[in-house]
């Protein structure tokens, strides 16, 4: 058996492996030479028994079978169909005179074939077809496990801090080096990881994996996969996130929560670039770029004996620090309309109209929850039809315990909205009996508008009428005064 694992020429499908089952000779030599342009790992055997032995040690994404070997060794088509169950694509090399003998293979789903001797254009077409289908299946698998969540990888903001961050990502993005992203909760560490993946131009998927919610019982299976053997002896490989991310990027969120007892295994995977699924005797090579995120100082965890120093060094090849939102408030100029626009599109609601006082409150707040808290505020305001001032006032009005205040950068406390000290005097027994209904209505409306600091939209909602109705009332009163 021959193998080619030279990665220097970086073939297009370097994350995939191929097995050729064909008798030795010029045809096999030409085929292997053509495959070198596509794959980094190529194994070839000249008998079906050798192919079975090789498959016990390696996983192959594509198996190319010369049907002459099948007929000579009396291999039944069901045996080849079994490769499909092992998540391998099977490509048959068929001569024109042998088509009537492979009809039963087509009935079993072995429908991919090329005419032997091989034409280079036909081979190129079939390889693209098989591998693009495999890439699509992996992306669908990632969607199934909720790995590729719908979120933009665009980094919003024009502050100097954000500009330098984008430049840093542009510089390190194409590298295969591991990256450690440090930042407070809600600063967008996964967003940075997605942007690194986009800049890497890797053909595999981006797969985020949260280390905060894993259990020791399922950790190895989720990460490295598991070989499940049914009662009838049929084996089925359940792929872990390392296999799903093959050819792409694996983002390990909250890496500080990774169990200490399992860190040795992860370290070995990062160093050897190989995984061993549970129940398997053999290791499988993977081409995965690992990006880790943390809100905790890992160096302190190392000093406390809660994190392996060797693993930290392996993850921290390149470090990216994401600043909190309070250190880059000028980004709010772009962030607020961007988030509001995206949320309104998702919620099918119109864009909110906020005045300068609302924007001032947003800019003066320190945002301890960072962009996540900002998004939450905007979403609440849009759904409830409130301005930021109204939202904070109502939250403090109805919250239990002492009023909640917010410390801003210049030392004042906003937004704290106490009830108005001045109000229109109203007798405890109601309005005077000699007032006409029109005067009572006007007095009550003016009082509600004053309570809402002149905001007619908020007042109309409190009164249960349309703003147009309120505007019409004020116009009528202006005419009466004239």
């Amino acid at each position: 058996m021959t193998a080619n694992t030279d990665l220097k020429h970086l073939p297009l499908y370097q994350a995939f492996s191929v097995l050729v089952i064909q008798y030795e000779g010029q045809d096999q030599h030409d085929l292997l030479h053509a495959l070198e342009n596509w794959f980094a790992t190529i194994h070839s055997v000249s008998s079906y028994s050798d192919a079975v032995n090789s498959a016990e040690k390696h996983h192959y994404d594509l198996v190319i079978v010369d049907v002459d070997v099948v007929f000579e060794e009396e291999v039944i088509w069901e045996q080849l169909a079994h490769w499909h169950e092992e998540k391998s694509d099977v490509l048959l090399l068929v001569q024109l005179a042998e088509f009537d003998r492979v009809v039963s293979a087509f009935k079993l789903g072995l429908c991919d074939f090329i005419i032997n001797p091989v034409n280079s254009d036909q081979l190129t077409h079939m390889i693209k077809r098989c591998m693009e289908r495999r890439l699509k299946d992996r992306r669908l698998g990632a969607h199934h496990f909720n790995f590729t969540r719908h979120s933009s990888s665009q980094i919003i903001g024009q502050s100097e801090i954000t500009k330098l961050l984008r430049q840093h990502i542009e510089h390190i993005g194409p590298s295969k080096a591991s990256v450690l992203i440090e930042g407070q909760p809600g600063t967008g560490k996964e967003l940075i990881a997605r942007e690194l993946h986009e800049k890497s131009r890797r053909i595999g998927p981006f797969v985020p994996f949260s280390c905060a919610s894993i259990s020791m019982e399922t950790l190895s299976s989720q990460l490295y996969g598991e070989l499940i053997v049914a009662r009838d002896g049929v084996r089925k490989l359940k792929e872990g996130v390392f296999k799903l991310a093959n050819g792409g990027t694996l983002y390990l969120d909250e890496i500080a929560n990774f169990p200490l007892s399992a860190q040795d295994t992860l370290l070995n995977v990062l160093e050897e670039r190989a995984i061993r699924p549970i129940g398997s005797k053999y290791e499988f090579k993977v081409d995965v770029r690992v990006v880790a995120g943390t809100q905790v100082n890992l160096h302190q965890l190392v000093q406390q004996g809660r994190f392996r120093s060797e693993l930290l060094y392996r993850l921290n090849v390149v470090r990216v620090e994401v600043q909190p939102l309070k250190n880059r408030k000028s980004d709010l100029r772009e962030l607020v309309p961007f988030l509001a626009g995206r949320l309104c599109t998702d919620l099918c609601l119109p864009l909110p109209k906020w005045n300068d006082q609302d924007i001032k409150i947003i800019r003066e707040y320190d945002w301890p929850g960072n962009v996540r808290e900002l998004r939450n505020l905007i979403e609440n305001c849009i759904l409830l039809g409130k301005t930021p001032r109204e939202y904070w006032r109502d939250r403090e009005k109805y919250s239990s315990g002492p009023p909640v205040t917010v410390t801003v950068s210049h030392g004042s406390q906003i937004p704290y909205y106490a009830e108005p000290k001045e109000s229109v005097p109203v007798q405890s027994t109601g309005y005077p009996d000699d007032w006409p209904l029109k005067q009572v209505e006007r007095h009550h409306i003016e009082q509600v508008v004053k309570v809402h600091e002149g905001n007619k939209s908020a007042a109309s909602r409190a009164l249960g009428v349309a703003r147009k109705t309120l505007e019409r009332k004020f116009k009528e009163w202006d005419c009466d005064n004239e």
Side-chain angles (χ1 to χ4, degrees), residues 30-252:
D30 294 340
L31 177 59
L32 295 176
H33 180 71
L35 292 172
E36 288 177 354
N37 297 321
W38 299 94
F39 301 96
T41 302
I42 305 170
H43 292 169
S44 64
V45 294
S46 56
S47 69
Y48 188 78
S49 59
D50 289 340
V52 173
N53 293 333
S54 182
E56 292 179 353
K57 301 178 182 179
H58 307 279
H59 171 74
Y60 297 105
D61 299 284
L62 177 63
V63 179
I64 301 178
V65 185
D66 190 333
V67 295
D68 285 342
V69 177
V70 176
F71 298 143
E72 189 69 22
E73 297 187 17
E74 298 182 351
V75 178
I76 59 175
W77 295 119
E78 283 76 9
Q79 290 176 285
L80 288 179
H82 178 69
W83 293 83
H84 269 306
E85 299 173 357
E86 295 289 330
K87 294 188 179 296
S88 299
D89 286 323
V90 179
L91 184 60
L92 301 178
L93 298 178
V94 184
Q95 295 187 13
L96 288 173
E98 298 172 328
F99 263 97
D100 58 335
R101 302 179 64 186
V102 297
V103 172
S104 55
F106 296 157
K107 293 180 180 179
L108 293 173
L110 303 175
C111 299
D112 294 322
F113 66 93
I114 53 179
I115 303 300
N116 197 13
V118 177
N119 176 276
S120 59
D121 292 336
Q122 187 185 18
L123 178 65
T124 298
H125 172 75
M126 291 306 302
I127 287 178
K128 283 185 176 181
R129 177 181 170 182
C130 291
M131 294 302 99
E132 292 301 322
R133 183 172 57 204
R134 182 158 291 268
L135 283 171
K136 181 180 179 180
D137 290 341
R138 286 185 177 173
R139 293 189 183 104
L140 288 175
H143 277 291
H144 178 70
F145 289 99
N146 196 29
F147 289 138
T148 51
R149 293 186 290 272
H150 296 290
S151 62
S152 170
S153 62
Q154 184 181 6
I155 299 176
I156 306 298
Q158 294 300 322
S159 66
E160 288 301 318
I161 292 176
T162 302
K163 288 180 180 178
L164 289 174
L165 176 62
R166 278 197 289 263
Q167 292 175 6
H168 192 35
I169 292 173
E170 288 280 352
H171 181 69
I172 66 177
S175 169
K176 293 181 65 175
S178 299
V179 180
L180 179 64
I181 305 175
E182 297 179 340
Q184 295 179 4
T187 50
K189 294 185 289 294
E190 183 174 326
L191 182 72
I192 305 300
R194 287 181 181 273
E195 186 72 4
L196 285 168
H197 174 68
E198 293 294 328
K199 299 300 180 183
S200 71
R201 300 184 182 89
R202 298 175 69 80
I203 62 173
F206 174 85
V207 179
F209 180 80
S210 176
C211 301
S213 58
I214 56 177
S215 63
M216 284 299 299
E217 292 76 14
T218 60
L219 173 63
S220 295
S221 176
Q222 292 182 59
L223 286 176
Y224 316 121
E226 183 175 1
L227 186 62
I228 301 173
V229 182
R231 292 181 178 179
D232 56 2
V234 176
R235 300 184 304 169
K236 183 178 180 180
L237 179 62
K238 175 187 175 184
E239 294 184 338
V241 291
F242 268 94
K243 190 65 177 177
L244 281 175
N246 202 11
T249 303
L250 175 61
Y251 174 58
L252 299 176

Side-chain angles (χ1 to χ4, degrees), residues 448 457-467 469:
V448 173
S457 296
S460 63
R461 285 192 293 269
L463 291 165
V465 298
R467 180 186 170 94
T469 303

Side-chain angles (χ1 to χ4, degrees), residues 396-416:
E396 293 174 6
K397 180 179 178 180
Y398 296 108
S399 63
S400 59
V404 178
T405 58
V406 181
T407 303
V408 296
S409 56
H410 53 67
S412 64
Q413 291 183 326
I414 66 162
Y416 174 68

Side-chain angles (χ1 to χ4, degrees), residues 2 21 29 74 90 96 121 143 153 182 184 212 221 254 265 287 300 339 380 396 437 454 474 479:
T2 62
I21 308 174
H29 178 270
E74 298 182 351
V90 179
L96 288 173
D121 292 336
H143 277 291
S153 62
E182 297 179 340
Q184 295 179 4
S221 176
E254 302 300 341
T265 304
D287 174 31
Q300 292 182 358
L339 292 174
N380 272 276
E396 293 174 6
L437 181 60
F474 275 94
C479 293

Side-chain angles (χ1 to χ4, degrees), residues 232-368:
D232 56 2
V234 176
R235 300 184 304 169
K236 183 178 180 180
L237 179 62
K238 175 187 175 184
E239 294 184 338
V241 291
F242 268 94
K243 190 65 177 177
L244 281 175
N246 202 11
T249 303
L250 175 61
Y251 174 58
L252 299 176
D253 191 22
E254 302 300 341
I255 190 65
N257 295 91
F258 202 89
L260 182 63
S261 59
Q263 291 180 16
D264 281 337
T265 304
L266 178 60
L267 176 62
N268 183 70
V269 169
L270 296 178
E271 290 179 340
E272 301 298 329
R273 300 282 179 179
I275 59 172
R276 177 179 294 175
I278 297 176
S280 175
K281 300 179 181 179
Y282 306 102
E283 293 184 340
F284 305 133
K285 290 290 183 181
V286 288
D287 174 31
V288 176
R289 184 186 194 179
V290 174
V291 179
T294 179
Q295 57 177 297
V296 181
N297 190 321
L298 295 183
H299 291 280
Q300 292 182 358
L301 295 185
V302 170
Q303 294 175 359
Q304 298 168 8
R306 296 163 55 193
F307 202 86
R308 288 283 306 272
S309 59
E310 297 89 346
L311 180 57
L312 173 58
Y313 300 146
R314 175 60 61 178
L315 293 172
N316 194 19
V317 177
V318 180
R319 177 175 171 269
V320 175
E321 183 179 4
V322 188
Q323 292 292 327
L325 187 55
K326 68 178 182 180
N327 292 349
R328 46 187 178 95
K329 286 188 177 180
S330 58
D331 286 345
L332 290 168
R333 187 180 297 107
E334 292 81 26
L335 268 174
V336 172
F338 172 79
L339 292 174
R342 192 168 69 175
L343 286 168
C344 286
T345 300
D346 293 342
L347 299 170
C348 298
L349 292 173
L351 283 170
K353 296 180 180 180
W354 297 338
N355 59 31
D356 293 340
Q357 186 64 26
D358 295 313
I359 303 302
K360 180 182 178 182
I361 289 174
I362 290 176
R363 290 178 178 173
E364 290 180 337
Y365 184 40
D366 267 351
W367 299 106

